[in-house]
Amino acid sequence: MSGAAETISVASPADFHVHLRQGELAKVVTPHVRQGGFSLAYVMPNLKPPITNTEQALLYRAQLQAIDPAVEYLMTLYLSPELTPEEIRKAAAAGITGVKSYPRGVTTNSEGGIESYDAYDAVFAAMEETGMVLNLHGEVPSVAETNICVLNAEPAFLPHLRKLHAKFPKLRIVLEHATTRAAVECVKSLGDTVACTITAHHLALTVDDWAGQSWNFCKPVAKYPDDRMALQEVVREGHPRFFLGSDSAPHPFQAKATASPTHACAAGLYTSPVLLPLVAHLLESFGALDKLEGFVSTHGRAFYGRRASASDRRVVLRRVSSKVVGIEGYGAGPTHVVPFWAGKAIGWELVEEREQEA
């Protein structure tokens, strides 16, 4: 692919961190995985109630498959006190891929999150034994007495990551949605069993973009320009342990657009419908377009042992001069969602399969 190529072909894009919600909202947003160019979705478990056992995960997967059977859904469990080594072995045997850890109260539906990892040593040992992946939301809760807030909660979490890796060196761990240079440097310093996802929106945003703008507000929040530069640099480097996890998180329009004196706006950005063109657009903006396939497919698939086969579909992107993301969104009423980047132009679009075959 040359720097001025008019089309790009990408093998089996895979999103290794996505929220597909439940009920009527899931029916609206699940088809957007494929609409955004992706054929694999690594699905988060923070529903209401959260997915804490094998039966719930399998039922949730069946519900998603009923909405769009063309996507491969990799399922996760929510790390909670009910989770046992026996349940881990059962989940692994049933094809459940990972366990997601949420520190208590740091993001959407994390009220049941953990406060200490020490109690889960037996669970982590079983995960190491069975090959399941530990997915870490890498923040600690805000505590005024120790000067911890949303801007430094990620660096404050990194000692936990180092300790877990030292104690369970064969356990595959993914630090999710990194936002800081400290997180990038930490992951790079650790062994091959530790990887890191990066979102599209954290490649674009800094703190100035979400201060006062609910449509750019997510958790973890975007940080300083130097932190964004570190994320861009590691993508441009093509580091094999850093790959896309969109953290695409749809919220109803009203919850996202408004705050009140007693209630904050919803935290989360919805990127699924425009994901692959958006990632191409952003990577091109900082000179990393040639790393697109590694970032959105090869690296993550290799880490998770889900390599694309020669027969898998390749997705084709075509350069466009100015394609604006619509502000009208999708769904209606309580399922009305509007994507990130609405009202802005993207320089790439997906080529429909029928056009590729013509």
Side-chain angles (χ1 to χ4, degrees):
M1 179 185 70
S2 69
E6 294 302 308
T7 62
I8 308 171
S9 174
V10 181
S12 299
D15 183 355
F16 281 101
H17 184 130
V18 63
H19 298 269
L20 297 179
R21 306 309 193 204
Q22 60 202 113
E24 293 303 309
L25 185 54
K27 294 177 183 177
V28 172
V29 304
T30 300
H32 295 162
V33 172
R34 215 151 42 94
Q35 177 179 318
F38 287 75
S39 56
L40 184 151
Y42 193 78
V43 184
M44 293 297 105
N46 57 330
L47 307 184
K48 291 184 177 181
I51 303 295
T52 57
N53 62 51
T54 304
E55 288 77 13
Q56 292 171 343
L58 294 177
L59 175 60
Y60 186 31
R61 182 169 65 187
Q63 292 167 344
L64 297 175
Q65 288 171 333
I67 298 169
D68 187 351
V71 171
E72 180 181 7
Y73 302 99
L74 301 185
M75 308 308 292
T76 58
L77 303 180
Y78 188 108
L79 185 63
S80 64
E82 306 96 88
L83 194 56
T84 64
E86 293 73 26
E87 188 64 31
I88 290 295
R89 295 185 184 95
K90 180 179 178 181
I96 308 305
T97 305
V99 174
K100 179 69 185 292
S101 162
Y102 293 91
R104 187 182 300 276
V106 299
T107 192
T108 303
N109 297 346
S110 65
E111 295 80 7
I114 68 160
E115 295 180 351
S116 171
Y117 286 110
D118 293 336
Y120 294 96
D121 280 3
V123 168
F124 297 151
M127 292 177 63
E128 191 175 45
E129 169 196 325
T130 58
M132 290 186 73
V133 177
L134 176 61
N135 304 98
L136 298 175
H137 182 119
E139 294 184 290
V140 297
S142 295
V143 179
E145 290 76 13
T146 55
N147 199 39
I148 300 297
C149 67
V150 295
L151 290 175
N152 60 9
E154 184 173 277
F157 177 86
L158 297 176
H160 296 289
L161 172 60
R162 293 189 181 94
K163 181 179 177 181
L164 282 169
H165 179 52
K167 189 181 288 189
F168 302 99
K170 295 181 181 178
L171 174 63
R172 283 181 296 162
I173 301 173
V174 179
L175 181 66
E176 300 291 340
H177 41 53
T179 63
T180 60
R181 182 174 292 276
V184 170
E185 293 175 349
C186 178
V187 171
K188 291 177 75 171
S189 75
L190 299 177
D192 289 344
T193 55
V194 179
C196 180
T197 58
I198 296 174
T199 74
H201 51 273
H202 286 126
L203 292 171
L205 302 174
T206 68
V207 62
D208 284 347
D209 295 303
W210 59 260
Q213 173 50 278
S214 66
W215 292 98
N216 291 335
F217 178 61
C218 58
K219 290 185 177 179
V221 298
K223 305 300 194 302
Y224 298 100
D226 181 67
D227 294 306
R228 180 180 62 183
M229 184 180 299
L231 300 179
Q232 294 175 351
E233 287 170 352
V234 79
V235 173
R236 191 163 54 237
E237 176 187 337
H239 196 294
R241 289 187 285 117
F242 291 79
F243 46 84
L244 177 69
S246 72
D247 194 21
S248 179
H251 290 278
F253 182 93
Q254 197 66 18
K256 187 66 190 157
T258 60
S260 73
T262 58
H263 197 276
C265 69
L269 302 182
Y270 187 43
T271 52
S272 282
V274 297
L275 187 55
L276 189 58
L278 176 63
V279 173
H281 179 85
L282 293 172
L283 265 58
E284 185 171 38
S285 75
F286 57 87
L289 189 58
D290 61 323
K291 302 301 193 298
L292 179 65
E293 183 168 280
F295 183 61
V296 304
S297 179
T298 312
H299 300 334
R301 284 183 172 276
F303 186 83
Y304 277 93
R306 297 278 175 165
R307 296 179 189 273
S309 69
S311 61
D312 285 349
R313 182 172 70 94
R314 296 188 69 88
V315 177
V316 177
L317 289 165
R318 173 173 54 209
R319 188 183 298 278
V320 290
S321 59
S322 183
K323 185 169 183 177
V324 176
V325 177
I327 63 173
E328 63 277 4
Y330 310 89
T335 67
H336 180 207
V337 291
V338 174
F340 178 65
W341 217 255
K344 298 179 182 179
I346 293 180
W348 295 90
E349 66 178 2
L350 290 173
V351 177
E352 298 291 339
E353 284 188 69
R354 61 179 179 271
E355 294 183 63
Q356 297 179 39
E357 295 167 357

